Amino acid sequence: MNLNTDTTDYRCGFVAIVGRPNVGKSTLMNHLIGQKISITSKKAQTTRHKVTGIYTDNTAQLVFVDTPGYQTYHRNALNDRLNLNVTETVHGVDVIVFVIEALRFTDADRAVLEQMPKQVPVVFVVNKLDKAKDREVLAEFIANAEKEYDFVATEVVSAKHGLRITQLIEMLKPMLPHSEPMYPEDMVTDKSSRFLAMEIVREKLFRYLGEELPYSMNVEVEQFEEDPETGMYSVYIAVLVDRDNQKAIVIGKGGKKKKKISTEARLDMEK
């Protein structure tokens, strides 16, 4: 693909994806980019970092920033830091994508909207379209939800099934400033392979251990080496827990949990 970098035609800018926990922001990010770069889990606040995903074609480059879910119910030091992460991010982008679940608009969603800077356009995205079987009910829900804020546009998607993702990208393009691309055309994230490997392991821990494992759990890359002859990586990642009795939760009976987590993580890393 030969990029048209004439700044009179080409557009490039930052797009923040925001919303309360578990509305599908990370899944949406992955479909917008076309591959997995942001981890997903049913557990709230899985995303702890501002993960940048880059979509590039011959007319525009969209730099998406996936933010942690804005937490209003469970207030603690970690969630307060993550909330600050969100509010800082939205002040430094060109467009904001505000994501909610179809047929569900809560006070937590309103709390997110209160953080939106008035000078940045906000696109209203209703996710989980597949859950709304009655289109008339959905249309009425959207009409009422649009009264909550002065949105510049509205789109309905199913991030899980990849529905109307292309339409959302095309909607966002004209909202970006005229500029040449900031990143090479084959670059899909600004995060390192080491960071992505660490995040993938963290995702599997949340996914397979559920509520057993506390939020204070973390992971750390101890070794990350590439064989220059084969191009294969050797990755050693430590799982850090608060107490000794939590080790057994991660390892599982006969080491089954640890094996499942490492196998699933390795498959994702290979992809």
Side-chain angles (χ1 to χ4, degrees):
M1 176 175 64
N2 294 319
L3 295 182
N4 171 17
T5 56
D6 182 350
T7 55
T8 60
D9 295 324
Y10 203 83
R11 291 180 181 269
C12 178
F14 289 93
V15 182
I17 303 175
V18 302
R20 62 173 169 79
N22 288 338
V23 293
K25 298 182 300 297
S26 295
T27 303
L28 176 60
M29 157 82 95
N30 292 336
H31 276 282
L32 287 164
I33 304 307
Q35 68 183 70
K36 183 172 187 153
I37 59 170
S38 189
I39 66 175
T40 61
S41 168
K42 291 182 180 179
K43 191 166 185 174
Q45 293 289 28
T46 303
T47 300
R48 292 184 184 173
H49 306 274
K50 290 182 285 189
V51 178
T52 304
I54 306 161
Y55 170 90
T56 306
D57 63 19
N58 60 358
T59 63
Q61 184 175 84
L62 289 76
V63 184
F64 292 100
V65 184
D66 182 19
T67 61
Y70 193 85
Q71 183 64 259
T72 57
Y73 295 118
H74 306 292
R75 300 302 298 271
N76 54 44
L78 172 61
N79 286 339
D80 286 347
R81 277 202 312 276
L82 297 179
N83 285 352
L84 180 61
N85 188 325
V86 176
T87 54
E88 288 177 345
T89 299
V90 296
H91 283 80
V93 298
D94 300 293
V95 185
I96 297 169
V97 170
F98 170 66
V99 185
I100 68 163
E101 291 181 75
L103 306 183
R104 190 179 178 205
F105 199 106
T106 69
D107 288 340
D109 295 304
R110 294 182 179 91
V112 178
L113 281 178
E114 290 174 0
Q115 310 306 314
M116 299 300 100
K118 298 302 181 183
Q119 73 275 17
V120 181
V122 179
V123 174
F124 182 37
V125 172
V126 181
N127 189 25
K128 304 186 181 182
L129 170 63
D130 48 299
K131 291 189 175 182
K133 305 302 181 185
D134 190 321
R135 292 298 183 258
E136 289 187 8
V137 172
L138 177 62
E140 183 178 356
F141 166 80
I142 292 173
N144 289 328
E146 286 176 328
K147 298 174 184 177
E148 300 278 348
Y149 193 87
D150 186 19
F151 300 108
V152 297
T154 300
E155 183 57 89
V156 182
V157 304
S158 172
K160 180 179 179 181
H161 299 287
L163 300 177
R164 298 195 63 81
I165 300 299
T166 301
Q167 288 87 338
L168 176 57
I169 290 173
E170 293 303 316
M171 174 185 288
L172 292 169
K173 284 181 180 180
M175 302 179 191
L176 302 178
H178 291 285
S179 171
E180 62 184 26
M182 291 179 282
Y183 297 96
E185 62 184 274
D186 58 347
M187 189 172 178
V188 294
T189 182
D190 64 346
K191 300 300 182 184
S192 67
S193 296
R194 176 186 288 256
F195 173 86
L196 293 176
M198 185 174 65
E199 285 289 273
I200 286 170
V201 171
R202 200 161 62 83
E203 176 192 68
K204 304 310 176 190
L205 287 164
F206 282 138
R207 182 163 296 176
Y208 293 115
L209 299 178
E211 297 302 320
E212 298 176 86
L213 205 64
Y215 275 113
S216 53
M217 177 277 307
N218 211 339
V219 294
E220 184 177 283
V221 177
E222 293 189 323
Q223 191 174 329
F224 193 93
E225 297 178 347
E226 181 182 7
D227 187 319
E229 295 184 1
T230 65
M232 295 292 290
Y233 287 93
S234 295
V235 183
Y236 296 86
I237 294 180
V239 180
L240 310 177
V241 293
D242 280 341
R243 299 187 297 274
D244 282 344
N245 62 359
Q246 292 170 351
K247 293 179 183 178
I249 297 174
V250 178
I251 295 169
K253 187 176 181 179
K256 288 184 178 179
K257 285 284 188 182
K258 185 180 72 169
K259 183 177 181 181
K260 184 176 183 64
I261 289 165
S262 61
T263 299
E264 292 290 327
R266 185 169 59 251
L267 290 172
D268 268 12
M269 289 180 204
E270 288 173 356
K271 290 178 184 178

